[in-house]
Amino acid sequence: MSKPSISTAYISASTNRFNHVADASTSSLIAYGSGKLIALWNTQDPDGGGVLQTLPGHDGLVTCVRFVASDAFASTDDKGTIRYWRLFGTEWRTTAIVRAHQQAISVLRKFDKFLLTGSSDSSVKIWEVQHGDVDNEVKEFQTISLQGWYPLSIAIASLPSSEAIILAIGGTDRKVHIWTRSDGPFIRSVTLSGHEDWIRALAFRVPSTPNDPIVLASGSQDGTIRLWNVESFTKMQAQSQIHTEKSGDNLSDDLLDAFEASLGDLGADAEEGGRQISLKRHILTVKSNSGTQQYSVTFDALLIGHEAGVTSLSWSPSNTSLLSTSTDSSLIIWAPSSIVSTAYSSSTSSIWINIQRFGDVGGQRLGGFTGGLWSNDGAEAMAWGWSGGWRRWRRITSDSHGGTAGEEWEEVGAISGHSGAIKGLDWSPKGDYLVSVGLDQTTRIHGAITSSTSEQSIWHELSRPQVHGYDLMGVAWLGPWTFASVADEKVARVFEAPRNFVEEVRVLGVKDLAQSEGDRPATASVPPLGLSNKAVSDAPSELDSSRPCRRPFEGELASITLWPEVEKVFGHGYESITISASNSLDLLATACRATSPQHAVIRVSTTAGYQPFGVPLEGHSLTVTRIAFSPPDDRYILTVSRDRTWRLFEKKENGYMPIAADKSHGRIIWDCAWSCEGDLFATASRDKTVKIWKQDSDSARWGAITTMKFEEAATAVAFCSAVSKTLLYLVSITTLSRRWLAVGLETGEIKVYSSLMSTPDQWTLVLIINSNLAHVDQINRLAWRATDNPSRKQLASCSDDGTLKVLIVQFEVD
């Protein structure tokens, strides 16, 4: 049998909570940090696909990503490491790794041949990058010590009509520090004060003509943006001279200083919360070929529009407008108003206005936007939020003068993912869609939508049925429209799909449906102070008219795709840990955290009335980690536990009875799974083995027929057969005679084994899915999708690294 091939159908990966953690290349490829991974997302994909691939390599959380060229970028992490990446053909490779700082790196910028990093070790370092054919060398050029405050933002540019470089550093001391470099190292030049809180964002606008000044925008947690003009001082003097002669005024710097002092005397009672408008002119002197040159830095404008801290600033590629994001859940595009002209007509003093505002009014979303950027050459503005999902807006029209006033923008689809470890997943009974739960306290449903531009199905998040107050631990479908989940609480909760969701999957072609689908509530809402989603029968009509023709966007997923909770299942004395549904979907089994035999029980209930089915199943002495019903008729329940044993219970008239147990694993057993035919089961343990168990035909005892050994702990297992029951008569017996077992490891790798039905004790390793395609942390669940194609299977996996993946495994069937 030849080696199977593997490809990715879907990657769900959220964005880390750092404001420099994403960047867009000139070709609109977005690279962003997701946990320890770097995710790549092509925003110009005509099918609207999501993340293309994830790049492993960092040992810590990725904090900053910055493109150096369209085929190279640098990334940093919270362990203080820089990695330099380059594209060779279709493969991204690390070409340099530098342990740059002792603490987390909070900001990364590139300029010319330099990379600049700022870290919580209270320093900014400048690095020189030398390019080789295969590798890059990153050498330290200079270290700037910041005497105890932390850098949060850096901006760097060339001074106009000069070779000199200007560097701005902002951070926790609430001032903007300007450094300059002529030929040697950077030297401290001036300090700009005015902000009243940490400065999180800095951005230089490079002038389009030599006569324009450079504009530095600084954004702070005080909710304001300040614009500073940097221009040649000699030119300024000439202009002010002309103006003074015209107007006869005699405004000297002494007068301005006196005016500023009087403003300061007003103190905290002054207008705008006592914000000082500094009109002082700061002078920079740099060396040049012709001697020295002087530049002035003056305060130009105060932009007030955000209701909370500003998290990022970026100038549009055309340099005409400024994009800002804030924790008040809004993005604002600012542009200078062309209406106002002043006596300084040659100067650039202007009034800046807020020309577009996106996001949520009132800022009720938790944490707002963490950062934002331009993409598609300024035709798209996008931002990522506190919970890791993206929102993006696309320009659809602009007025004929090339200005920005008459523009129209529309929201378009983006990407999202769990912002924490994903603990459980389950395919719906026919494999139409997938549900996942995680430590970010959300339940999410993912499905494949047939794309309008091609025949390909593109996966997206379709619904967020549960946004909870507790970490979610497990989930199981109880029917095509019903699922149950367990969290860090003593109850299991059952949810029923609302009309909104049924309509959505029908219109998007995710599931084949007849038109009518019973009488369902339209949607659900969470009452104040409540954890239980309540049904809402009369949903606003705009949902129904606007939503169904497209998938929901991040803002809608977070607010209007909840499912009503229909039942609570009680019984356990401690927090729930695992859940499983029977193959017939009429039984539900749960277990909770336990340190004694009294609590290490499995409770089985019926899904018809959620009443107990028989007595709780006893026998384990510590937490039960996984429960599995045997296919096809639920004759057995298999349980595995922290006490290193598995136990088997057989179905009787009025409940399940214990029939077998074994303690041959040396450490905790993480997972167990039945083969599709129900004749074998596998157990995966921290003792780095997976054992396959079969019933002995003579003695009816269950014994281990084979043991697979691994380099790392085995944490997840799942069986798959060549074909489903419905196709038995259509395929040859050789196709049927094979089955596969996927094993997930603590390192994030997945290994796939193959065996003939006739020799269940002989398993051959046919595929290793390494961290480039799989994960970089412990795999928590694996599940094969129920498909009738004998050679093409889909495997869903979820991990502590926060990603959910659906992989396509193409088997070469004999």
Side-chain angles (χ1 to χ4, degrees), residues 559-629:
S559 58
I560 60 172
T561 62
L562 287 170
W563 288 25
E565 185 183 309
V566 294
E567 192 68 58
K568 290 183 184 67
V569 185
F570 295 94
H572 288 294
Y574 286 98
E575 292 84 1
S576 310
I577 196 87
T578 187
I579 186 169
S580 181
S582 63
N583 298 281
S584 60
L585 305 177
D586 53 11
L587 294 174
L588 179 67
T590 55
C592 73
R593 295 179 194 276
T595 52
S596 66
Q598 177 194 353
H599 291 289
V601 296
I602 297 93
R603 293 181 180 270
V604 184
S605 40
T606 61
T607 56
Y610 298 101
Q611 296 303 312
F613 178 72
V615 295
L617 312 183
E618 298 176 347
H620 288 293
S621 57
L622 294 171
T623 307
V624 173
T625 51
R626 192 76 78 229
I627 308 164
F629 287 84

Side-chain angles (χ1 to χ4, degrees), residues 536-550:
V536 178
S537 48
D538 47 343
S541 57
E542 79 261 11
L543 294 187
D544 298 349
S545 58
S546 71
R547 269 282 310 293
C549 48
R550 60 160 174 80

Side-chain angles (χ1 to χ4, degrees), residues 271-537:
E271 199 59 37
E272 267 305 325
R275 292 194 181 105
Q276 287 189 27
I277 307 291
S278 168
L279 303 169
K280 199 169 185 173
R281 182 173 294 148
H282 302 270
I283 306 298
L284 301 172
T285 307
V286 295
K287 289 183 197 152
S288 69
N289 300 338
S290 55
T292 58
Q293 257 179 300
Q294 286 193 314
Y295 291 87
S296 74
V297 184
T298 47
F299 173 75
D300 180 52
L302 179 70
L303 311 188
I304 300 175
H306 285 298
E307 294 156 20
V310 176
T311 52
S312 75
L313 294 170
S314 50
W315 293 97
S316 65
S318 60
N319 272 336
T320 50
S321 50
L322 177 69
L323 173 72
S324 64
T325 62
S326 162
T327 50
D328 68 3
S329 295
S330 68
L331 272 81
I332 297 182
I333 298 178
W334 308 83
S337 154
S338 50
I339 309 158
V340 182
S341 70
T342 62
Y344 281 91
S345 53
S346 61
S347 159
T348 54
S349 191
S350 54
I351 290 189
W352 285 74
I353 54 170
N354 159 349
I355 55 162
Q356 293 287 344
R357 188 183 187 113
F358 313 120
D360 300 309
V361 178
Q364 73 278 28
R365 299 271 167 276
L366 172 74
F369 289 119
T370 314
L373 44 84
W374 295 95
S375 156
N376 194 8
D377 206 28
E380 289 184 1
M382 52 215 309
W384 60 96
W386 183 255
S387 61
W390 286 70
R391 296 183 66 182
R392 66 172 170 156
W393 290 266
R394 185 177 290 152
R395 181 189 288 129
I396 44 178
T397 57
S398 60
D399 60 7
S400 53
H401 307 298
T404 46
E407 289 177 351
E408 279 188 50
W409 294 69
E410 64 174 357
E411 187 167 0
V412 291
I415 54 173
S416 65
H418 284 279
S419 59
I422 306 176
K423 288 296 183 186
L425 54 80
D426 196 24
W427 288 102
S428 62
K430 289 205 168 73
D432 298 305
Y433 31 77
L434 183 66
V435 64
S436 60
V437 295
L439 301 189
D440 64 349
Q441 307 186 340
T442 63
T443 302
R444 299 168 188 244
I445 292 177
H446 318 260
I449 301 170
T450 309
S451 160
S452 52
T453 51
S454 72
E455 287 305 297
Q456 210 181 345
S457 290
I458 303 293
W459 282 81
H460 296 292
E461 188 176 326
L462 303 177
S463 175
R464 206 166 292 168
Q466 185 185 11
V467 179
H468 207 37
Y470 293 103
D471 292 355
L472 285 149
M473 303 305 294
V475 65
W477 287 99
L478 304 177
W481 307 111
T482 314
F483 72 83
S485 69
V486 290
D488 228 348
E489 54 176 351
K490 295 174 186 177
V491 318
R493 297 172 186 267
V494 183
F495 296 84
E496 187 87 41
R499 193 167 68 234
N500 259 3
F501 180 78
V502 177
E503 182 65 11
E504 182 189 359
V505 293
R506 184 181 66 77
V507 172
L508 295 175
V510 177
K511 186 173 168 60
D512 293 336
L513 282 186
Q515 187 69 34
S516 72
E517 228 317 302
D519 190 22
R520 295 179 174 278
T523 178
S525 66
V526 181
L529 307 178
L531 280 171
S532 307
N533 299 351
K534 295 279 181 282
V536 178
S537 48

Side-chain angles (χ1 to χ4, degrees), residues 70-293:
S70 60
D71 60 352
F73 66 85
S75 58
T76 66
D77 62 31
D78 64 356
K79 297 266 201 300
T81 306
I82 308 175
R83 287 181 92 94
Y84 198 92
W85 304 78
R86 274 169 57 195
L87 184 62
F88 293 93
T90 57
E91 186 189 358
W92 287 93
R93 285 190 220 140
T94 302
T95 55
I97 304 172
V98 183
R99 180 70 200 273
H101 294 268
Q102 295 303 310
Q103 304 279 336
I105 296 176
S106 51
V107 56
L108 171 70
R109 280 284 179 270
K110 71 100 182 170
F111 180 78
D112 199 17
K113 61 182 179 182
F114 294 118
L115 281 178
L116 296 92
T117 55
S119 159
S120 326
D121 63 8
S122 185
S123 71
V124 169
K125 289 190 181 182
I126 296 124
W127 307 84
E128 208 170 335
V129 181
Q130 291 169 346
H131 295 273
D133 291 342
V134 180
D135 286 339
N136 292 68
E137 197 178 354
V138 179
K139 290 205 303 211
E140 190 172 328
F141 174 77
Q142 186 183 350
T143 298
I144 296 174
S145 172
L146 300 179
Q147 283 103 36
W149 58 272
Y150 300 153
L152 301 174
S153 48
I154 294 175
I156 185 165
S158 294
L159 281 164
S161 53
S162 159
E163 297 289 299
I165 299 172
I166 180 169
L167 165 67
I169 306 172
T172 56
D173 77 334
R174 307 183 294 211
K175 297 183 179 71
V176 180
H177 298 261
I178 302 289
W179 294 65
T180 53
R181 172 179 187 257
S182 305
D183 45 13
F186 285 86
I187 54 170
R188 185 192 296 271
S189 296
V190 298
T191 303
L192 311 176
S193 52
H195 282 296
E196 295 167 0
D197 207 335
W198 293 3
I199 297 170
R200 285 208 171 272
L202 290 170
F204 275 116
R205 179 174 82 173
V206 186
S208 42
T209 66
N211 291 332
D212 288 348
I214 297 186
V215 180
L216 171 65
S218 61
S220 159
Q221 282 186 183
D222 63 15
T224 64
I225 299 164
R226 288 170 177 258
L227 300 182
W228 312 82
N229 281 351
V230 183
E231 50 199 323
S232 172
F233 186 49
T234 45
K235 194 172 75 186
M236 287 277 300
Q237 281 177 311
Q239 281 174 8
S240 61
Q241 191 68 39
I242 295 163
H243 177 67
T244 310
E245 283 164 13
K246 272 188 194 167
S247 60
D249 283 349
N250 208 353
L251 259 180
S252 70
D253 270 2
D254 298 342
L255 271 172
L256 285 177
D257 282 348
F259 172 61
E260 238 179 87
S262 68
L263 272 181
D265 293 341
L266 292 173
D269 303 328
E271 199 59 37
E272 267 305 325
R275 292 194 181 105
Q276 287 189 27
I277 307 291
S278 168
L279 303 169
K280 199 169 185 173
R281 182 173 294 148
H282 302 270
I283 306 298
L284 301 172
T285 307
V286 295
K287 289 183 197 152
S288 69
N289 300 338
S290 55
T292 58
Q293 257 179 300

